[in-house]
Amino acid sequence: MANIMVQGTTSSAGKSLMCTGLCRIFKEDGYKVYPFKSQNMSSKYYTTKEGYKISTAQTLQAIAGGLEPHPNMNPILLIPKSDKGSMVVIKGEDKEDMEAVEYFKYKSSLRPMILNIYKEIEKENDIVVIEGAGSPAEINLKQNDIVNMGMAEMADAPVLLVADIDRGGVFASLYGTVMLLEEHEKKRIKGLIINKFRGDKTLLDSGIEMIEELLNIPVIGTIPFSHFELVDEDSLVDYEKQCNTSLQTEEQMEEELNKLAAILRENMDIDYIYKIMRINRTING
């Protein structure tokens, strides 16, 4: 069994889309793949056939991996009800409304549940694709973390760090994120990904060389800015894209997922990802 985790320098950096594309790539390569995000905050959710609520991001990743959406893919869903509080959904079922401060204290008690679900998933699949939330460098939230580096440690997973160059300051965000981590956390980051790039990639070459030298972590992908008719990641508000997957036909959905996988294969070092997961592609792929 192998795993890979995708974390981001910010929310909406492209974590969900990278995980979705990787789920489709691993499925194409013949592996049994499973998406996992221990905790997601989103105003959007999907209701499974059994009536469980999970995030739309993990729903899309399930479809990319050829699976039925299941609450184990997203054990904790926080549905915002106000600026200070959310409905806490555990294993697909509403638990209770909690203020942020109350939940911050409560979440550490959820670690055993997360670990048990993850171990169950791990036994039944070839690859688990784990998504982080927000940024691992939110130092005010790192205590008892269960979704970023805390989750990476529970799963003993190598981490890819993705940053959105369209926002500007991509090298500063990569450097700042890594440097705010503890030494043992830094060692988990095995690759950097620059997302949403527009223009001639050669213009980035000098910056890539410098950031690789500064952090001693390779840039394994520069992903071009592309439009997909797919659910966006774990943002609270998404004005541009449809959030109801049922508005698309199955054929349209498959076409978009295949397009995403093709773009990632072309612009990301997939062989390197297999290497850090310690998978010999000649076995299945």
Side-chain angles (χ1 to χ4, degrees):
M1 178 271 159
N3 58 24
I4 189 74
M5 185 169 193
V6 179
Q7 298 183 11
T9 57
T10 62
S11 293
S12 299
K15 296 182 293 293
S16 292
L17 209 58
M18 295 301 115
C19 288
T20 302
L22 288 173
C23 283
R24 176 48 56 106
I25 286 169
F26 297 146
K27 176 181 179 289
E28 289 174 345
D29 288 352
Y31 294 94
K32 188 177 180 184
V33 60
Y34 201 95
F36 183 81
K37 182 166 184 173
S38 56
Q39 172 194 291
N40 200 339
M41 174 176 280
S42 179
S43 55
K44 297 175 291 191
Y45 59 86
Y46 173 85
T47 304
T48 69
K49 292 175 182 177
E50 299 78 17
Y52 297 113
K53 294 176 183 176
I54 73 166
S55 71
T56 52
Q58 275 61 63
T59 299
L60 185 63
Q61 289 160 17
I63 294 168
L67 303 171
E68 279 289 325
H70 190 279
N72 278 358
M73 297 171 180
N74 176 212
I76 307 165
L77 175 63
L78 306 176
I79 303 172
K81 296 295 183 183
S82 68
D83 288 344
K84 293 184 179 180
S86 301
M87 166 58 72
V88 179
V89 179
I90 305 293
K91 293 194 282 190
E93 299 181 309
D94 291 355
K95 182 174 174 62
E96 62 180 286
D97 286 331
M98 286 191 187
E99 295 285 301
V101 173
E102 182 185 3
Y103 177 73
F104 188 76
K105 294 175 183 176
Y106 169 70
K107 70 176 183 176
S108 62
S109 69
L110 299 172
R111 181 179 289 264
M113 180 267 292
I114 293 168
L115 188 55
N116 287 340
I117 289 174
Y118 180 79
K119 291 295 183 186
E120 181 183 328
I121 291 166
E122 192 177 46
K123 289 176 187 174
E124 297 173 354
N125 295 278
D126 299 323
I127 301 173
V128 183
V129 176
I130 309 168
E131 183 181 342
S135 164
E138 291 168 344
I139 53 178
N140 57 314
L141 301 177
K142 282 182 68 175
Q143 184 182 357
N144 300 321
D145 173 62
I146 56 172
V147 68
N148 285 309
M149 283 301 174
M151 185 64 232
E153 289 176 10
M154 278 191 271
D156 193 19
V159 175
L160 304 176
L161 182 65
V162 58
D164 176 2
I165 195 171
D166 200 48
R167 294 173 176 229
V170 70
F171 296 114
S173 64
L174 288 168
Y175 183 82
T177 299
V178 173
M179 296 309 290
L180 281 171
L181 299 176
E182 305 294 330
E183 283 303 317
H184 69 280
E185 295 171 332
K186 291 177 187 177
K187 290 176 182 176
R188 287 204 173 272
I189 300 181
K190 303 300 184 183
L192 309 174
I193 300 169
I194 296 172
N195 191 29
K196 303 180 190 176
F197 180 71
R198 307 173 194 249
D200 185 341
K201 287 185 184 178
T202 61
L203 296 174
L204 281 180
D205 287 349
S206 61
I208 287 173
E209 287 175 15
M210 284 187 275
I211 201 69
E212 288 181 332
E213 187 175 333
L214 284 166
L215 297 178
N216 196 29
I217 303 170
V219 175
I220 66 160
T222 302
I223 314 303
F225 192 101
S226 307
H227 177 73
F228 299 99
E229 285 296 335
L230 295 169
V231 181
D232 206 353
E233 60 176 313
D234 57 350
S235 52
L236 300 184
V237 180
D238 182 1
Y239 296 105
E240 296 180 358
K241 298 178 185 174
Q242 299 169 339
C243 68
N244 187 348
T245 55
S246 66
L247 295 176
Q248 290 179 301
T249 66
E250 188 175 330
E251 187 177 338
Q252 288 171 326
M253 179 80 71
E254 288 296 305
E255 190 176 311
E256 290 295 292
L257 289 169
N258 291 339
K259 173 184 166 186
L260 170 59
I263 287 173
L264 293 193
R265 282 190 190 273
E266 185 179 345
N267 297 281
M268 196 155 67
D269 191 343
I270 302 300
D271 286 336
Y272 178 81
I273 293 174
Y274 276 110
K275 182 180 176 182
I276 62 175
M277 291 194 300
R278 298 177 183 174
I279 289 181
N280 183 349
R281 292 182 71 182
T282 59
I283 296 173
N284 284 21

